[in-house]
Amino acid sequence: MDHSFPQKVLEHLFSFIDSNKDRNAISLVSKSWYEIERRSRKKIFIGNCYAVSPTTVIKRFPELRSITLKGKPHFADFNLVPDGWGGYVYTWIEAMAVSVPLLEEIRLKRMVVTDESLELIAKSFKNFKVLVFISCDGFSTDGLEAIASNCRNLKELNLQESEVEDLSGDWLCYFPDSYTSLVSLNISCLNNEVNLSALEALLGRCPNLQTLCLNHAVPLDKLPSLLSQCPQLVELGTGVYSTEEMHPDVLSSLITAFSGCKQLKSLSGFWNVLPSYLPALYPICSRLTSLNLSYAIIQSSDIVKLIGQCPNLLRLWVLDYIEDVGLEAVAASCKDLQELRVFPSDPSCLELNNALTERGLVSVSKGCPKLQSVLYFCRQMSNAALSAIAQIRPNLTRFRLCILEPHTPDYLTLQPLDSGFGAIVEHCKDLQRLSLSGLLTDRVFEYIGTHAKKLEMLSVAFAGDSDLGLHYVLSGCENLRKLEIRDCPFGDEALLANAAKLETMRSLWMSSCSVSYGACKLLGQKMPKLNVEVIDESGPPDSRPDSCPVEKLYIYRSIAGPRLDMPGFVWTMGDDSSRKLELDVAGVEAQFRNL
Amino acid sequence: MELQLGLALPIHSSIDGFNHSGSGCSENKKYVKNKRSYEESFGHFLKPLPLLVWSGQPNEEDDRNKKMNTNIHTLNNEGENHLVGWPPIKSWRKKELHDQQHHGHIRIDHRMQGNENQDRRLRPLYVKVNMEGVAIGRQVNLRLYNSYHTLKDSLINMFVKYQNFEEDGANYTLIFQNKQGDWLLTEHIPWQSFIGTVRRLAILGNEKMKIFDKY
């Protein structure tokens, strides 16, 4: 059938297809479709940087212009992955510098970037436009100097939540006067002051600037003058939102500045809030679609006053200072709300906080018909509440609940929360992401395996009774891509029985569980398309009996074979010893290079 | 003469040399038993404001903990026990909140020259306040006050507003928890030192305070 379509026509048709999911499907139709598709794909997404080698990617997609790479496992965000684990981007940059000189965009998540990598990017890609580093580390402001000096066409520089060694605020001065193409700048993670006059000049000469996220070192009294340089801003992250003492003139200049930003839709920042300055936002509240107050230590009454004026809010991130009463106000005012995240203000505190409970979440579920995505930290939950939420909001696609104390039962019945989460997976048929917490038995996993057919990512902690729990999930969840587990009594049986399933997933993380070294070895030997990596900081697992449980286990599918850059505390299972020696040497070299 | 409100509870006479911040395992056990007796006596009060600094070690007798495998507990800077990586909050976020809440100012890299002092001074200092008999605690910015008198009055007014009863400041005593986790009377420390070390506040009725007068 495809012979009747000239290649040019197919190429033209494929050029309308952006989604990689669709393109992947297209490439499976026939060999010629595969060829046409691969020669026209510009944007590549690689969910695990170790699943494929740079050379393979570049060879298959010669027209590559935009690459997204993810490195460390998600639990690295919570310090469960030791430093030095890996995720180095240098080999990718090196390969692309040679073969993809027209590369325009690099987006990284949880990867280790070095100044050397930044310098290589700066000098290798003449048309470089977008640099996004989410939760990355390993580089300093020196590397940013190279980017600023050389990337004449840079549109986006986003360092969201990355750890940057902040040596000097002058790197901003390296953007030449002739540079005017900035569209998005996010430096919220930087510790120290940036050169404010350089920043102001930069903002003034970039007419297309839409996003500006400042760091906490930018004083509030400077904000009005910065904003006056870019009134066309759509997204703003403030710097510190207070002054030593309240100054009425600062307040009035803020009001003027904000009123001048007619396109402003999204606000974040709010480090150190002095509530008296919040009224400056009132003039723009009605236009806001996204509000991130998750770093703002302010009382519920102040939050409510603000949110009460934001009827068009789609996304709200906030601390638990909002309390149930504040969430009721959200339910009443924000009828279009799609995403809610409530973070804990004092996560280590053991006392029961009666101000933010399950009731807040139930209110929002009841009042906001478009609610799809929830991240909620609290200290108590009940099956009744979860059931109610599930039935009222079957359109939920992301549901992450974190009850702060592990093993907390339903506070009303003292039963496990199995049936509550069961209701969630049963009613929310399009659920893609789920995080569990509280007291849970194998039962909940039975429900998940039975009902959560669209589930792609599951996070489990301190749950389950036996291998049966893991078995239910691996055998039942057809669309599961990522599974991360900590502190659960899951062992060898379920893992080995469902080994084939692991090849259909991106990755599996298990830490502080009961998987034995012997099982890991077996899995590694039997499943050549999987990299089975054991992480153990207490020494080589060889020195202990095979029946000993491993500390941490990370299994992922890969066509690149075992990686070469492992640190001393990571072992790949299934290699014979001579190859392991080669790899060890290469690994040490690679690590040395990346230091 | 500062009043140390430690774990040496009025009921049991094991005060001397009892240092709760450095206790070993066996003392924790004894401590847990003490906690229960204290709860019996001051039940309703204890809910919003545990005067005890429990180390957070899982009680070995607790059934559900038998199911847990290795829990990696570490001590953070404040000597509190934590499970590694729990709750699941990005370290970046934890740092930010921690800096705001405990230091009241923004962390600045040592290497930064000049402007250091400017940045370190007088950011809002929010601390949590609990009042006896009130379940919900409040946050207050201590930078807005310069004396115990104004602070106490203001706090009592704030709570009274939400509780709908009249109260006279004279019936209450203000106590605070310092950086070391000890609960102390405010009257015996100069305001500036107080600001430098305060982590939490509590307002107790004078009836409760009488029990501690023994010590």
Side-chain angles (χ1 to χ4, degrees), chain A residues 486-503:
Chain A
R486 64 163 293 175
D487 292 277
C488 296
F490 299 149
D492 300 343
E493 285 176 47
L495 201 55
L496 294 173
N498 291 285
K501 171 72 176 177
L502 299 177
E503 277 181 7

Side-chain angles (χ1 to χ4, degrees), chain A residues 222-355:
Chain A
K222 286 282 182 285
L223 188 59
S225 52
L226 292 173
L227 285 179
S228 65
Q229 296 296 327
C230 47
Q232 76 281 8
L233 224 49
V234 174
E235 183 181 342
L236 172 70
T238 70
V240 70
Y241 206 74
S242 58
T243 49
E244 249 177 69
E245 283 151 14
M246 204 298 206
H247 291 293
D249 43 315
V250 171
L251 177 61
S252 50
S253 17
L254 275 175
I255 292 174
T256 312
F258 279 123
S259 308
C261 296
K262 306 282 185 208
Q263 322 287 342
L264 205 49
K265 289 217 187 79
S266 168
L267 284 179
S268 60
F270 298 109
W271 327 100
N272 275 342
V273 177
L274 189 57
S276 331
Y277 287 124
L278 289 175
L281 303 171
Y282 294 167
I284 55 164
C285 280
S286 58
R287 279 182 245 122
L288 288 182
T289 56
S290 174
L291 185 56
N292 182 351
L293 293 170
S294 63
Y295 296 102
I297 300 180
I298 48 177
Q299 301 213 25
S300 178
S301 46
D302 291 317
I303 305 176
V304 167
K305 261 188 258 177
L306 196 58
I307 293 180
Q309 305 184 51
C310 304
N312 293 310
L313 221 51
L314 300 178
R315 193 166 92 135
L316 175 64
W317 290 23
V318 75
L319 285 169
D320 59 9
Y321 293 129
I322 192 171
E323 300 178 357
D324 286 341
V325 62
L327 288 173
E328 275 164 33
V330 170
S333 314
C334 309
K335 291 305 186 186
D336 287 337
L337 196 71
Q338 291 174 6
E339 178 179 327
L340 174 71
R341 293 195 192 189
V342 180
F343 295 95
S345 53
D346 197 353
S348 56
C349 180
L350 297 176
E351 73 184 48
L352 203 63
N353 177 1
N354 293 328

Side-chain angles (χ1 to χ4, degrees), chain B:
Chain B
M1 216 165 311
E2 290 173 332
L3 184 69
Q4 295 277 351
L5 298 177
L7 268 167
L9 301 167
I11 313 300
H12 300 269
S13 53
S14 48
I15 317 165
D16 298 328
F18 197 99
N19 178 7
H20 56 248
S21 51
S23 36
C25 230
S26 54
E27 289 195 339
N28 282 343
K29 264 198 180 163
K30 183 166 47 158
Y31 210 45
V32 169
K33 289 199 200 110
N34 285 349
K35 184 185 181 198
R36 287 202 198 104
S37 309
Y38 192 74
E39 268 179 340
E40 281 155 17
S41 311
F42 300 102
H44 77 278
F45 176 73
L46 199 59
K47 267 288 144 108
L49 179 62
L51 282 186
L52 309 169
V53 180
W54 191 42
S55 69
Q57 286 274 7
N59 186 339
E60 274 141 48
E61 280 118 30
D62 196 325
D63 276 342
R64 48 175 209 216
N65 286 327
K66 281 190 190 136
K67 292 187 183 154
M68 277 159 56
N69 292 311
T70 39
N71 283 324
I72 309 151
H73 288 256
T74 58
L75 290 171
N76 69 3
N77 293 339
E78 272 104 51
E80 293 164 11
N81 262 332
H82 284 293
L83 287 167
V84 172
W86 189 267
I89 301 170
K90 280 188 180 164
S91 10
W92 199 85
R93 177 176 292 280
K94 261 191 188 154
K95 255 190 284 179
E96 266 306 320
L97 272 181
H98 183 274
D99 287 345
Q100 279 192 57
Q101 287 169 325
H102 295 306
H103 303 136
H105 67 260
I106 292 142
R107 220 171 11 114
I108 298 284
D109 194 279
H110 313 302
R111 269 168 287 216
M112 190 66 189
Q113 300 123 328
N115 294 326
E116 263 181 5
N117 294 326
Q118 179 199 333
D119 295 306
R120 204 168 284 145
R121 256 181 319 155
L122 299 182
R123 298 294 178 203
L125 175 57
Y126 281 94
V127 297
K128 211 184 246 190
V129 190
N130 287 90
M131 179 158 172
E132 181 198 339
V134 179
I136 299 169
R138 297 280 137 194
Q139 286 270 325
V140 61
N141 178 7
L142 291 180
R143 301 284 181 213
L144 303 176
Y145 306 94
N146 52 19
S147 79
Y148 294 115
H149 179 74
T150 49
L151 174 61
K152 188 174 146 191
D153 271 356
S154 182
L155 289 177
I156 289 174
N157 280 334
M158 186 166 64
F159 278 101
V160 156
K161 215 170 31 153
Y162 287 94
Q163 299 298 119
N164 293 320
F165 53 81
E166 299 295 322
E167 274 304 340
D168 183 355
N171 295 337
Y172 288 92
T173 309
L174 190 61
I175 62 173
F176 75 99
Q177 185 183 39
N178 68 3
K179 278 192 186 140
Q180 286 77 42
D182 301 316
W183 284 97
L184 308 168
L185 285 179
T186 50
E187 321 296 333
H188 301 131
I189 172 175
W191 178 259
Q192 275 307 116
S193 317
F194 163 73
I195 290 291
T197 190
V198 61
R199 278 186 56 190
R200 285 180 67 170
L201 286 170
I203 306 168
L204 300 187
N206 291 342
E207 287 303 311
K208 290 279 182 309
M209 290 310 303
K210 281 194 189 130
I211 289 152
F212 298 112
D213 278 350
K214 280 192 218 165
Y215 306 101

Side-chain angles (χ1 to χ4, degrees), chain A residues 441-454:
Chain A
T441 71
D442 284 344
R443 225 346 119 62
V444 72
F445 299 108
E446 193 183 352
Y447 292 139
I448 292 172
T450 309
H451 295 287
K453 294 305 179 189
K454 298 266 181 72

